[in-house]
Amino acid sequence: MLDFRNEPFTDFSTPANRQAMEAALAKVGSEFGREYDLRLAGEPLKTPDKLKSVNPSRPSEIVGIHQKATPAMASKAIGAAHAFFPEWSRTDPAVRVAMLRRVAQSIRSRKLEFDAWLVYEAGKTWPEAEADVCEAIDFCEYYALEMERLSGPQPVSQLPGEKGELRYIPLGVGLIIPPWNFPLAIMAGMTAAALVTGNTVVLKPSSETPTIAAKFAEVLLEAGFPERSFCLLIGSGSAIGDLLVEHPKTRFVAFTGSRDVGLRINELAARHQKGQVWIKRVIAEMGGKDAIVVDADCDLDQAVEGVAVSAFGYQGQKCSACSRAIVDAKVYEPFLEKLQARVAGIRMGAAEDPSNYMGPVISDSARKSILNYIEVGKGEGRLLTGGSAQDSDGYFVRPTVIADVEPSAKIFQEAVSKAGSFEQALEMANDSQYGLTGAVYSNNPEHIRQARERFFVGNLYLNRKCTGAMVGAHPFGGFNLSGTDSKAGGPDYLLLFLQAKSIAEKIG
Ligand code: NAP
């Protein structure tokens, strides 16, 4: 059992913490519009083509200006990471572990500042930003502990006349491609896992959240990670992604993002390139259409609360978000009545205002595509609440619930549907190409047993919301087209970044 404890969340209900957060927001706001360099093997670089990241609550505000890497730079980054790999892979794991603990400590000491960057660049409300930052700290601490476990001798049976050994060694250059929705936690987690296991890294963050990545790179350097151990490449995935994935010196790709991009990466990585002497490994964590099943015998108020926070926390943009509620016919109408009242009471507005529960969605294109989807839903079901954009500059979409949707509808994966029995509800929940998270609200022990056995998701929650996985307690990753089930924050994760070497020496 690891001696691991999750980072406690800052309590923003205390006046002192609120004031400290206001001060952090002011400090970060005063840094808006700053220009950040690319980092290519320690070399800071500027390029003529800039990427401007904006505040989704007020898109006229430029949060940071970044350099778009050229394809030649992307290729150079992989080459540089490959050149430093032999030296980095031979560092004492204890040294790398100590560096990672310093990363955790550094983020901890600048927690509210990181919270503020997440509020402004990702549109996270204070508690959502805090959860993201705490998770980043947790990943660093957890993987540091895990590396201590894995860098020691591993158990193998001993044959007479031989000394047997099994040790884990790193893979090579890792390409790290995170999404924007957990722009610190997932980026830091995948990068930390790759570096602490002795791999060198080319980090290509999401184009929506490059400033948070630039801040994280500063922390890596402060913590002692050598300049040559990682490259930070800003630039759109469509412009440099294929080149990075296909490069013959790329040894593995750790990706978290959408299904289509993940499948493309998997396909390209599988193709052998001239000069490539390995089979590339792909760790891909992708989307979900996560369902909450509401049984006839359950605490209906708890179920309504669980659905509301799982569906609308961070504007429903978490991969674990509840997009479908499947409700037993016996409690369907009272459930809808309570849900409508609960959701209609959600306050939405600028993410930096702590009285808002919901902030903006990440971008104008996200807003447009959600609104298009809502229009389809209005034709296929009954609009209970929401259904439109908020009339303001920010990328706001009102919390929307569509009910009475048949399993055959296009919008079935995003709505409230009625089930005739618990068995049918489970079937409907499993009727998806994904299998990331799911929850069941029920007081019926037999139904809970059936859910444990048959609900096909990587992360199943019983009588609680389906978001908010905690590092160490809820290793995270999904089935089917939700990805390779990497179980981030769990005991299997670092092994994905390592290969095992068996050594047998004849003795006597
Ligand atoms: P996305 O569009 O797939 O982008 C993810 C990352 O891939 C970004 O860094 C993006 O860069 C990059 N990218 C885009 N095209 C690429 C290409 N051809 N080659 C290489 N990289 C490429 O996903 P997203 O919108 O950022 O993230 C939201 C998605 O992530 C949702 O589907 C969500 O469910 C999923 N997600 C899953 C998990 C999980 O653990 N399963 C966790 C969080 C999020 P650019 O931004 O520059 O295009």
Side-chain angles (χ1 to χ4, degrees):
M1 193 71 172
L2 289 183
D3 180 20
F4 171 76
R5 277 185 204 105
N6 297 107
E7 180 69 17
F9 296 137
T10 304
D11 175 3
F12 289 119
S13 68
T14 70
N17 287 342
R18 287 174 90 94
Q19 272 169 19
M21 184 62 188
E22 298 285 1
L25 286 164
K27 177 177 179 294
V28 162
S30 73
E31 289 183 41
F32 276 7
R34 216 189 102 186
E35 195 165 331
Y36 297 84
D37 291 341
L38 284 182
R39 282 179 196 281
L40 220 163
E43 200 187 338
L45 285 177
K46 289 210 172 11
T47 58
D49 203 4
K50 310 291 180 199
L51 186 154
K52 291 179 181 162
S53 86
V54 302
N55 175 0
S57 297
R58 267 184 310 280
S60 56
E61 287 177 358
I62 309 289
V63 175
I65 301 172
H66 299 265
Q67 322 296 322
K68 280 194 196 168
T70 62
M73 285 174 185
S75 184
K76 200 173 158 197
I78 299 282
H82 180 69
F84 190 58
F85 173 68
E87 188 178 333
W88 179 241
S89 65
R90 284 193 295 268
T91 50
D92 183 348
V95 170
R96 301 195 300 261
V97 164
M99 287 173 187
L100 193 52
R101 292 209 166 107
R102 285 198 293 274
V103 172
Q105 185 47 38
S106 174
I107 299 176
R108 189 178 286 122
S109 67
R110 295 166 59 183
K111 219 170 160 195
L112 297 184
E113 184 194 329
F114 269 104
D115 281 355
W117 283 112
L118 284 152
V119 166
Y120 282 134
E121 195 169 54
K124 294 210 168 192
T125 57
W126 294 17
E128 294 291 350
E130 173 72 7
D132 194 324
V133 176
C134 288
E135 191 177 3
I137 296 169
D138 283 350
F139 278 135
C140 294
E141 294 285 8
Y142 185 85
Y143 295 148
L145 271 172
E146 276 290 286
M147 191 59 206
E148 280 176 339
R149 178 174 72 86
L150 294 170
S151 56
Q154 304 302 309
V156 285
S157 58
Q158 300 294 326
L159 297 178
E162 258 188 29
K163 183 177 174 298
E165 201 188 319
L166 184 84
R167 61 168 79 152
Y168 289 115
I169 62 170
L171 293 166
V173 178
L175 173 58
I176 309 293
I177 309 183
W180 50 263
N181 67 348
F182 283 86
L184 185 64
I186 292 181
M187 175 189 57
M190 295 198 295
T191 307
L195 284 172
V196 79
T197 43
N199 302 287
T200 49
V201 157
V202 173
L203 168 60
K204 198 225 79 64
S206 164
S207 299
E208 306 288 357
T209 49
T211 312
I212 293 159
K215 295 287 161 192
F216 177 65
E218 287 172 12
V219 167
L220 286 177
L221 292 175
E222 277 164 29
F225 280 99
E227 287 186 328
R228 294 175 66 204
S229 63
F230 71 95
C231 295
L232 174 62
L233 278 189
I234 310 294
S236 94
S238 54
I240 55 173
D242 289 2
L243 185 156
L244 290 166
V245 172
E246 288 180 317
H247 198 293
K249 299 292 184 230
T250 297
R251 176 65 181 84
F252 67 97
V253 185
F255 166 81
T256 308
S258 62
R259 179 199 62 180
D260 291 353
V261 174
L263 289 178
R264 178 176 179 80
I265 287 174
N266 194 44
E267 190 178 335
L268 291 185
R271 270 188 224 150
H272 178 260
Q273 304 293 331
K274 194 160 176 272
Q276 181 182 322
V277 296
W278 43 63
I279 296 171
K280 289 176 190 170
R281 199 179 278 182
V282 174
I283 304 154
E285 288 308 312
M286 315 193 295
K289 291 289 171 205
D290 309 309
I292 296 186
V293 170
V294 180
D295 195 7
D297 178 8
C298 77
D299 182 325
L300 206 55
D301 289 329
Q302 272 183 23
V304 166
E305 187 58 21
V307 168
V309 299
S310 302
F312 299 111
Y314 190 35
Q315 297 73 268
Q317 298 176 112
K318 300 178 193 182
C319 48
S320 54
C322 167
S323 66
R324 299 180 285 155
I326 300 166
V327 185
D328 191 289
K330 293 185 216 52
V331 290
Y332 186 73
E333 288 305 332
F335 174 85
L336 286 185
E337 206 175 297
K338 283 172 186 273
L339 186 67
Q340 181 178 24
R342 173 68 176 81
V343 175
I346 290 177
R347 210 184 130 106
M348 184 176 68
E352 75 267 19
D353 177 348
S355 63
N356 292 324
Y357 180 77
M358 270 176 79
V361 298
I362 191 69
S363 63
D364 191 34
S365 63
R367 177 173 57 178
K368 284 190 181 122
S369 102
I370 295 165
L371 290 172
N372 283 340
Y373 224 60
I374 289 173
E375 284 314 307
V376 174
K378 285 177 184 170
E380 291 185 328
R382 169 164 54 117
L383 179 70
L384 270 193
T385 182
S388 59
Q390 182 168 283
D391 195 14
S392 80
D393 287 349
Y395 306 137
F396 297 100
V397 181
R398 292 200 168 81
T400 298
V401 180
I402 292 169
D404 302 351
V405 169
E406 295 298 323
S408 56
K410 193 173 167 208
I411 200 80
F412 167 64
Q413 302 286 348
E414 321 271 348
V416 186
S417 305
K418 194 192 290 182
S421 65
F422 186 75
E423 186 137 324
Q424 191 195 8
L426 275 189
E427 270 170 31
M428 289 163 77
N430 283 336
D431 181 11
S432 167
Q433 54 178 272
Y434 299 106
L436 190 50
T437 75
V440 171
Y441 281 87
S442 176
N443 290 327
N444 181 325
E446 173 54 19
H447 289 174
I448 292 287
R449 191 196 63 75
Q450 286 174 17
R452 283 180 193 276
E453 201 175 278
R454 290 194 229 148
F455 200 162
F456 195 65
V457 288
N459 287 73
L460 175 63
Y461 299 104
L462 302 170
N463 288 314
R464 55 148 286 178
K465 62 179 181 159
C466 65
T467 54
M470 299 296 286
V471 170
H474 312 128
F476 192 80
F479 301 155
N480 290 347
L481 285 179
S482 289
T484 53
D485 188 39
S486 66
K487 289 294 185 276
D492 306 328
Y493 193 66
L494 286 196
L495 291 176
L496 301 170
F497 297 78
L498 291 162
Q499 53 197 336
K501 182 170 180 178
S502 163
I503 303 168
E505 181 183 3
K506 193 167 184 321
I507 50 172

